[in-house]
């Protein structure tokens, strides 16, 4: 007698795994935002005036903070959809919504990695000028690293949403 | 009488379109490599000695050149597979090879965008210090822009290979 067909090798990912990855992305981006926004360095200039160095003195860190905020907003939205999926067992918006997931995850993961890369690129060069033990630059590097870890989780979400693309011929 | 079933909404991408995108990626990366590798600036220091500024004086440009070379090697390999696909009508390595395409394209496109972002992040900050009409930095920006255009084509390849993922349940 004929055997029943075997299940396909690549099964779909359980909804709660997707939700956990989203939450981890959000936590990393949140910590990154707090670190970069609170990172200040006081210095005294030649005339004895106090001078503050903040993230908005550098293009790359301003870019990083914008990217992190955009990433957080998107991840929060997607987490809400994931909670809906876990709670009801139905995907929000149905099958067609998978395309929004796919392109959204792809764009956001590319954006997050550019934020981290731009900050690292700048910080490495400035460390050579300012000395490698500069506290402000080291703290900024920590924020960029957290953005990079957030990107890794976003890339995992992007791989999941690629597997969830509508079926083809 | 029953109608024959309609074709699925997302059809697979014709092989020659994939090949054209690979070739465009390669051309952008090649021009980027030539620009960054030949970019030099001569200057005279205080003692009257001639001093040359080259890409390898900056971390971000050294990173850019490595990424562009890795991207070119990968794109060349994938172009060879695409030519095989166009010529014979069979995918090299069969269906299982789609997973290599999918993850390969994803990694390479992420790498390319970090190369461009790191260079832009550094260049923007140095332009503020060196003046916005610095020829060396403007030429480096052109190389980073070409890497970014190469990334856009690589991202298109990555979208194609996501659609070509093995069928799921």
């Amino acid at each position: 007698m004929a055997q029943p067909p075997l299940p396909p090798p690549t099964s779909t990912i359980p909804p709660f795994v997707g939700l956990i990855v989203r939450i981890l992305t959000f936590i990393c981006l949140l910590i990154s935002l707090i670190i970069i926004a609170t990172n200040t360095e006081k210095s005294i200039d030649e005339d004895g005036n106090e001078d503050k160095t903040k993230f908005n003195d550098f293009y790359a860190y301003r870019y990083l903070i914008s990217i992190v905020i955009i990433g957080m907003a998107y991840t929060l939205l997607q987490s809400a959809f994931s909670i809906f999926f876990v709670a009801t067992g139905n995907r929000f918006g149905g099958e067609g919504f998978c395309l929004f997931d796919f392109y959204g995850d792809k764009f956001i993961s590319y954006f997050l990695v550019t934020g981290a890369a731009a900050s690292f690129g700048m910080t490495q060069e400035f460390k050579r000028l300012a000395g490698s033990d500069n506290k402000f630059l080291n703290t900024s590097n920590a924020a960029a690293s957290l953005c990079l870890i957030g990107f890794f989780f976003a890339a995992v979400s992007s791989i999941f949403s690629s597997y969830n693309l509508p079926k083809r011929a």
Side-chain angles (χ1 to χ4, degrees), chain A residues 42-52:
Chain A
K42 281 180 188 167
S43 56
I44 315 286
D45 67 9
E46 300 103 54
D47 307 327
N49 297 318
E50 208 171 65
D51 201 24
K52 261 190 180 176

Side-chain angles (χ1 to χ4, degrees), chain A residues 2-166:
Chain A
Q3 290 281 314
L6 286 166
T10 49
S11 57
T12 45
I13 292 97
F16 74 91
V17 177
L19 178 60
I20 291 169
V21 175
R22 300 272 183 209
I23 291 171
L24 289 172
T25 313
F26 188 80
I27 292 171
C28 290
L29 295 183
L30 183 68
I31 303 173
S32 175
L33 178 69
I34 293 170
I35 294 176
I36 194 84
T38 58
N39 189 16
T40 48
E41 195 179 49
K42 281 180 188 167
S43 56
I44 315 286
D45 67 9
E46 300 103 54
D47 307 327
N49 297 318
E50 208 171 65
D51 201 24
K52 261 190 180 176
T53 309
K54 282 194 74 179
F55 77 90
N56 49 10
D57 295 328
F58 299 93
Y59 290 118
Y61 299 151
R62 269 191 272 171
Y63 180 71
L64 177 66
I65 210 165
S66 335
I67 290 297
V68 165
I69 291 170
I70 293 169
M72 281 172 69
Y74 176 81
T75 310
L76 204 62
L77 183 79
Q78 283 286 5
S79 302
F81 293 149
S82 295
I83 291 168
F84 179 86
F85 192 11
V86 170
T88 65
N90 295 311
R91 186 175 286 279
F92 182 86
E95 279 287 306
F97 210 72
C98 290
L99 280 179
F100 169 75
D101 280 12
F102 172 66
Y103 286 104
D105 286 350
K106 226 175 165 55
F107 279 113
I108 290 296
S109 60
Y110 283 134
F111 270 124
L112 286 176
V113 83
T114 57
S119 296
F120 280 131
M122 201 213 79
T123 309
Q124 280 312 106
E125 214 55 52
F126 270 65
K127 269 191 166 179
R128 212 169 53 171
L129 303 175
S132 63
D133 56 347
N134 184 293
K135 195 179 148 284
F136 179 79
L137 293 177
N138 285 337
T139 313
S140 303
N141 246 1
S145 307
L146 272 157
C147 179
L148 190 68
I149 299 169
F151 151 73
F152 284 128
F153 289 120
V156 171
S157 293
S158 172
I159 291 171
F160 288 173
S161 61
S162 302
Y163 277 108
N164 283 328
L165 274 174

